[in-house]
């Protein structure tokens, strides 16, 4: 999969957000860590769209981030309107993958893309659980 050639049509879930003044670094563009926050907020939106009340440790079915592979593709300057896309692209027994990308408003190519490996998790039992059915149902594997 070429993380540089992702397009909006590759994603199933969307969230929109605006940059903030504090998101810039000393070089005048968005700081690299800010993109992770945008994608995390959008990931919570995905869980809500799937029918969960959010993602919290007091839920029987929650998740925990296992790893991430992030690709910064172009600079963004403040102010900007961004769209964050997500797609569940792999489901295993107890883990699944989110493909994510940040797009500058109305642009077809992403400014940042990432693959997040998630583990379905029950914090009360402190152990992985089976991936919940709503996540399994929305998986669209990569070709």
């Amino acid at each position: 999969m070429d993380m540089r050639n992702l397009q909006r049509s590759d994603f199933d879930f969307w969230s929109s957000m605006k940059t903030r003044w504090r998101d810039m670094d000393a070089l005048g563009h968005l700081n690299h860590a800010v993109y992770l926050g945008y994608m995390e907020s959008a990931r919570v939106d995905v869980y809500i769209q799937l029918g969960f009340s959010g993602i919290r440790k007091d839920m029987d079915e929650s998740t925990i981030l296992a790893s991430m592979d992030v690709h910064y593709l172009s600079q963004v300057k403040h102010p900007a309107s961004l769209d964050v896309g997500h797609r569940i692209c792999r489901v295993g027994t107890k883990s699944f993958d989110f493909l994510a990308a940040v797009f500058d408003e109305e642009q077809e190519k992403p400014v940042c893309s990432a693959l997040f490996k998630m583990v379905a998790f029950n914090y009360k039992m402190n152990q992985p659980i089976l991936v919940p059915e709503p996540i399994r149902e929305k998986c669209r594997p990569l070709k």
Side-chain angles (χ1 to χ4, degrees), residues 8 14-18 42 45 81-85 103 105:
R8 289 176 176 268
W14 290 95
S15 297
S16 296
M17 49 198 66
K18 296 199 179 291
D45 291 346
S81 296
L82 304 172
D83 296 320
V84 182
F103 293 83
E105 187 178 52

Side-chain angles (χ1 to χ4, degrees), residues 47-133:
Y47 293 122
I48 292 169
Q49 291 174 49
L50 290 171
F52 298 98
S53 62
I55 196 72
R56 299 180 313 278
K57 68 180 187 175
D58 64 341
M59 300 169 64
D60 289 335
E61 296 176 329
S62 193
T63 63
I64 192 167
L65 177 64
S67 70
M68 61 183 140
D69 181 22
V70 183
H71 301 261
Y72 300 97
L73 307 171
S74 63
Q75 297 180 52
V76 175
K77 296 185 186 295
H78 174 76
S81 296
L82 304 172
D83 296 320
V84 182
H86 273 86
R87 171 182 177 170
I88 302 165
C89 61
R90 183 199 62 84
V91 173
T93 304
K94 295 182 180 181
S95 66
F96 61 99
D97 294 351
F98 267 128
L99 179 64
V102 178
F103 293 83
D104 204 341
E105 187 178 52
E106 299 181 14
Q107 297 296 315
E108 186 60 24
K109 296 291 184 187
V111 296
C112 180
S113 59
L115 185 65
F116 296 98
K117 295 201 176 289
M118 309 299 296
V119 175
F121 203 78
N122 182 307
Y123 285 89
K124 293 176 196 170
M125 298 184 316
N126 197 36
Q127 66 185 29
I129 58 173
L130 297 176
V131 173
E133 196 57 35

